Amino acid sequence: MAALAHAQTPKVDSLVIGKLKDLHVPGLAAAKVENGQVSWTHYNGFQDMEQKVPVTDSTVFHIASISKTITAAAVMQLEAKGYFKLDDDINGFLPFRVVNPSFPAAPITFRLLLRHRSSIADNMDYLLPFWGNTYQGADIPLGTFLADYLSTSGKHYYANKNFTGAEPGSRFEYSNIGFALLGYLVERIAKIPFDQYCKAHLFTPLEMHHTNWFLEPFRSDRLAVPYEYSDSLGRYEKLPQGKFPDYPAGQLRCTVSDLAKFLACWSNDGSYAGKRVIEARSVQLLTPMDMSLGFHTWFMYLLNTETPTYSHSGHGPGISTYMLYDPFSKKGLIILMNGELSDYFEWRKLIDLLWKS
């Protein structure tokens, strides 16, 4: 079992508290992974400022787009079992057809979705009302939402907005809808709802008992309240908990210790607590030690001029998250916050502070 240690040193603790105050971020949870185990966890600030509830190991954070690494892991589990090859056309697995209308003969493949090169675009006119934490309407089934968006007969199909003008495979275009589609492909191939697949094949074997794609299972007093800071008013503004139909792209909620178990498994070539959860080949396909081979889902982050790592960040209203993994030292770092931090250089300072602790 991965070792969990709450190891806050007074020096690091005071530095992080000062940094959060400067950045107007209410609370933070962090975890470090080394040698396939969780080596420490770290907590600062408040999950709820009004009630003065501190961030603890039981605080559940919305991790935003870090969720995509979980979705990619689910995809790779099925790929490893031979259900498909990464360069297969996804239309062989869907009940509706997905093609770029400008390039109808060009196949969209699993690999292109994983690499954000599918040419499927995020139509902000349609999607932003969902992503702003204000949508509180009925849940839209994943398949219905995607058919309406991607099928030519769909209610929200807009050829020039839902697809780019580039041929599939020719250009990088970050796509939340593309990752929602990957989640739906898992659902179709495994013949089980995506969230249930993840629970059975990832969360349960990884002992991630405080992780879910949806809000309903969580007690409200466990959730980190999202906040934004108003410079003009000089105060924090409490935001609602968000939900959106493209949930495999960014709606996962979990404790930092749960997410650290996933990262520990990933850094240990897919093994956790002596059992194989993800194939080592799958880890190498997405995050190869030889970065010149190309990588999928994760992005490159340079800790310094000599240490490249893989990373994924997450951002949303009142949410800022980061996860990093060094395939050489097998070290990893997770930072989850219930405030907004978009300044890249401030992120680097925070990451550097916690990576070295």
Side-chain angles (χ1 to χ4, degrees):
M1 181 179 292
L4 292 176
H6 181 63
Q8 299 194 165
T9 63
K11 182 180 179 182
V12 172
D13 202 42
S14 63
L15 288 172
V16 172
I17 290 172
K19 179 63 70 178
L20 294 182
K21 186 176 180 180
D22 292 343
L23 297 173
H24 300 299
V25 172
L28 169 149
K32 186 91 170 280
V33 167
E34 298 176 273
N35 302 315
Q37 292 193 331
V38 184
S39 58
W40 59 250
T41 51
H42 184 103
Y43 313 101
N44 287 101
F46 295 100
Q47 72 173 44
D48 187 323
M49 300 187 76
E50 292 173 312
Q51 302 298 321
K52 296 290 187 287
V53 180
V55 173
T56 68
D57 189 49
S58 66
T59 302
V60 172
F61 284 85
H62 184 176
I63 68 170
S65 282
I66 292 179
S67 306
K68 292 180 175 69
T69 64
I70 304 288
T71 298
V75 169
M76 296 307 295
Q77 283 183 321
L78 294 176
E79 189 273 345
K81 291 178 181 176
Y83 286 101
F84 59 88
K85 293 183 173 63
L86 289 186
D87 295 313
D88 284 349
D89 188 332
I90 60 171
N91 284 307
F93 305 87
L94 293 170
F96 50 87
R97 189 161 176 78
V98 180
V99 297
N100 184 316
S102 300
F103 303 92
I108 293 173
T109 67
F110 292 85
R111 189 187 305 276
L112 294 183
L113 289 170
L114 287 166
R115 297 191 69 203
H116 294 282
R117 292 178 176 271
S118 67
S119 80
I120 295 173
D122 290 338
N123 177 354
M124 295 302 183
D125 291 341
Y126 176 58
L127 294 172
L128 275 181
F130 290 116
W131 293 347
N133 282 31
T134 56
Y135 178 74
Q136 300 298 321
D139 291 340
I140 304 172
L142 187 57
T144 301
F145 169 77
L146 290 166
D148 282 346
Y149 189 97
L150 295 168
S151 170
T152 54
S153 60
K155 291 188 295 184
H156 302 288
Y157 179 84
Y158 305 98
N160 295 329
K161 292 184 177 182
N162 297 8
F163 293 86
T164 71
E167 184 175 1
S170 67
R171 192 176 79 192
F172 174 88
E173 180 90 16
Y174 191 85
S175 177
N176 288 284
I177 295 296
F179 263 78
L181 183 56
L182 281 168
Y184 184 57
L185 284 160
V186 168
E187 193 167 291
R188 293 285 301 176
I189 293 164
K191 297 180 172 57
I192 182 174
F194 177 69
D195 64 307
Q196 293 180 29
Y197 174 90
C198 290
K199 182 176 182 179
H201 297 277
L202 286 168
F203 305 154
T204 296
L206 290 174
E207 301 171 7
M208 297 171 67
H209 303 309
H210 310 289
T211 300
N212 204 287
W213 287 101
F214 299 110
L215 269 169
E216 288 76 17
F218 295 116
R219 284 172 29 190
S220 60
D221 61 359
R222 293 280 305 278
L223 298 170
V225 176
Y227 291 94
E228 65 180 4
Y229 184 79
S230 170
D231 286 317
S232 58
L233 298 175
R235 70 184 185 208
Y236 293 91
E237 300 289 326
K238 180 179 178 179
L239 302 176
Q241 298 286 347
K243 68 173 185 176
F244 37 82
D246 55 321
Y247 76 89
Q251 193 172 269
L252 196 69
R253 286 176 168 85
C254 60
T255 62
V256 74
S257 292
D258 269 17
L259 187 57
K261 292 172 185 176
F262 169 77
L263 186 58
C265 173
W266 194 265
S267 69
N268 198 36
D269 289 323
S271 289
Y272 175 81
K275 57 181 178 281
R276 171 68 56 192
V277 180
I278 304 163
E279 292 299 318
R281 172 182 163 273
S282 300
V283 174
Q284 283 300 308
L285 275 169
L286 263 59
T287 53
M289 290 188 71
D290 183 352
M291 295 183 173
S292 68
L293 294 174
F295 36 93
H296 304 65
T297 302
W298 298 68
F299 297 91
M300 187 183 289
Y301 179 93
L302 287 173
L303 279 172
N304 51 53
T305 56
E306 298 176 351
T307 312
T309 68
Y310 288 110
S311 73
H312 210 297
S313 61
H315 198 78
I319 306 160
S320 299
T321 62
Y322 231 106
M323 183 163 74
L324 302 100
Y325 158 60
D326 178 359
F328 303 100
S329 70
K330 303 296 185 182
K331 293 180 180 179
L333 177 68
I334 297 167
I335 303 172
L336 308 179
M337 300 189 295
N338 58 337
E340 297 183 6
L341 176 57
S342 57
D343 187 300
Y344 173 74
F345 296 102
E346 291 296 342
W347 261 122
R348 288 197 66 89
K349 292 175 187 176
L350 185 58
I351 289 168
D352 189 55
L353 171 63
L354 290 168
W355 186 273
K356 291 178 178 177
S357 62

